[in-house]
Amino acid sequence: MVVKLIGTNRRVIRLELDHNHPLQPDNRQQLFSGHKYMTEMEKAIIRTLNDNNIETRKMISVLSYLRGGVTALPYKKKDVANFRTKLNREITGSDMRQALNYFTEKKSKDPSFFYKFDVNEHLRVKNIFWRDADSMKYYAEYGDCLSFDTTYMTNKYNLPFAPFVGVTGHGHTCFFGCAFICDETTDTFKWLFETFIEAMGGKHPVTIITDQDAAMKAAIQQVFPDTKHRNCLFHIKKKCYNKNLKCFASNEGLPEEFEDIIGNSLTVEEFETLWTNMIADYKLENNKYFNKMWEMRERFVPVYFKNDFFPFLQSTGRSEGTNARIKHNVGPTYSITSFIKEYQRIVDATNIAEAREDHANKQKTPKHMEFGYSIELQAMEMYNRNIFNKFMTQLKATTRLNYRQMEQQGQYEVWEKANQVHSRHRLRRYIVITDLTQGTDDYSCICSKFNKDGILCSHILKIMVETEVSKIPDKYIIERWRKKERKMNLKRVQTTNATDDILRFNILSREAAQLTSKGSSNEEAMEYLLDEFKRIGKNLDIMLTSGNGTTPEVIEVAGGSREAQHSRDQAIHGSDDGSTLQEPETIKKKGRPEKPKRWKDIVEQEREKAKKKSKEEHKERRKLK
């Protein structure tokens, strides 16, 4: 169309009604905002997937599959992300209320459920702790060893996440409890540990492993005075390598000597002698980090803990694995409520894994025996499968060992054969002491593996095999690692209301699945079933309204007199929905919350610096040209 200005008027002087291009690209309706639409069913699917913390790109895959392909979707990935943001805004300003309601509901179904809020004088939440009935059960049976670590970037308030983690009888990682804390100070850790002990009926752990946090160490000394505390070996060694990269590279044989002394020393005297010699031989007297490691040696070197029970643990790897699993599904934009639901999924997955292993122990046995020893058959019958595999690793190692009986009665010397392809850095001889008097049957080894891990070492098994012992004494097959039906003190877990709820839910789910399958056959059947669901829902609401809800029992207010705290409790409890509680303080940042950054060691940092420097030099050369 051509328009010409004639005087003060505009006149169309030419008009072509035929287009010389297509009105729209083929199959690209989603590019036009007027063509975007999302059905109510699709919104419901997105809501369900969002509640399960499914990523947006995976949502697009599901929705496009239902539509018949990505090109058939009348909206883009950004539209789905925007709808998710809208859903998340529904929680804004009511996160603590929803968390409180969730805990209250759990408490009403299971009286053994425990939770505690710590708030300041303005009723703003500072710390949250909770544990369920399963955690209590696990702690009662496996709570002698505790792994504890904190991590960030799991929620929109950036509160550190602090899980209490342990090892089950099948070797799985389990939760003993979980918390969000406002900071990592001694007072906060003290509140957390005291709350943990309160939740666990006053039972203290025997051993605990953490990182090198000074505030955490001080709180453990105050709250767990009789608990053996050690630091993560992996992080200390890694930090040593990163800070002494050139030192290890320039001194041939130092890495092997370093690893052997820390990991394989049999006595404190041996470790201290070899370490002193290493420092002198490699002239490391002025190395700050090696001097610091020497000063704190009693906090991380394994030989100082060889008689303490740390089952297959030398690091906080189990805690970090739990943190990584959490971060995979929740991120820095997620609410506390979303996190709590994700936590419950992991607890449920642990329970299922434990039940499957118990069932597999009854139904499955190894196809054949490796050696045919009677102690091997005994271990197969008594140990859980995962622990039996660890036992077999020790039993197989006996084929690489030599032994001789010493002059003193009941003492043996065990050492590795010299014809091994992969030989040890330093040959060590292990002393095994036996007392086989009637009714005693004692075995001990200088490596103390049984004291640390709860299974016999290869050195003791070597003596048993060579002296033709036909049965492992019962005291060396500890209760923790036995099959469920082989436990001597099996605790019967009573069925709770929560268990009944699960059974009822499973029954109703099967029935509902059959109905929904029939209802999806055509549009008329679907509409009829939806109407019936609404009618049934209304009737159920009327039926359930007569039930009395419970109010939160444990909300602690920091500071103030007893009367002031009582009045604040009344203010919180006075509202049925917990709306008086204030959200935790959030660090405000511009733009999208920062993604978690992977920690980089010195080698990687130096490479990046060199790469950046090379690029800058290249730019300068180009400018000169």
Side-chain angles (χ1 to χ4, degrees), residues 403-421:
Y403 86 104
R404 73 176 181 88
Q405 188 169 0
M406 302 176 72
E407 295 180 0
Q408 193 169 350
Q409 182 66 25
Q411 292 192 11
Y412 298 86
E413 189 178 41
V414 181
W415 67 94
E416 284 194 358
K417 296 177 181 178
N419 59 350
Q420 301 294 311
V421 175

Side-chain angles (χ1 to χ4, degrees), residues 29-37:
Q29 291 93 340
Q30 58 180 324
L31 295 175
F32 298 94
S33 58
H35 288 216
K36 295 178 184 177
Y37 67 94

Side-chain angles (χ1 to χ4, degrees), residues 174-267:
C174 66
F175 276 117
F176 292 146
C178 188
F180 284 111
I181 53 179
C182 60
D183 53 40
E184 294 182 290
T185 61
T186 301
D187 290 339
T188 299
F189 281 126
K190 185 178 178 182
W191 175 90
L192 178 58
F193 295 148
E194 288 174 346
T195 303
F196 177 77
I197 294 302
E198 178 186 350
M200 296 304 178
K203 178 183 177 181
H204 288 233
V206 179
T207 58
I208 184 171
I209 183 168
T210 68
D211 59 19
Q212 292 174 265
D213 189 280
M216 195 183 298
K217 174 186 173 184
I220 289 173
Q221 290 175 344
Q222 294 179 42
V223 182
F224 304 136
D226 300 323
T227 299
K228 191 73 172 183
H229 177 210
R230 71 182 290 186
N231 294 140
C232 174
L233 174 64
F234 172 79
H235 287 98
I236 295 174
K237 284 169 55 178
K238 187 173 183 178
K239 191 180 295 184
C240 179
Y241 280 117
N242 289 330
K243 290 182 176 293
N244 298 280
L245 186 64
K246 293 180 181 179
C247 178
F248 280 106
S250 59
N251 289 289
E252 186 177 355
L254 177 58
E256 292 79 9
E257 184 75 3
F258 176 76
E259 289 287 347
D260 178 75
I261 293 172
I262 288 183
N264 300 322
S265 294
L266 296 178
T267 63

Side-chain angles (χ1 to χ4, degrees), residues 45-46 49 54-70 73 75-77 80:
I45 292 173
I46 294 173
L49 296 176
I54 305 299
E55 299 173 11
T56 303
R57 60 181 180 83
K58 293 181 180 179
M59 290 186 183
I60 289 291
S61 299
V62 173
L63 295 168
S64 61
Y65 176 80
L66 296 175
R67 281 273 186 176
V70 177
L73 280 180
Y75 43 83
K76 296 178 291 187
K77 180 180 176 181
V80 177

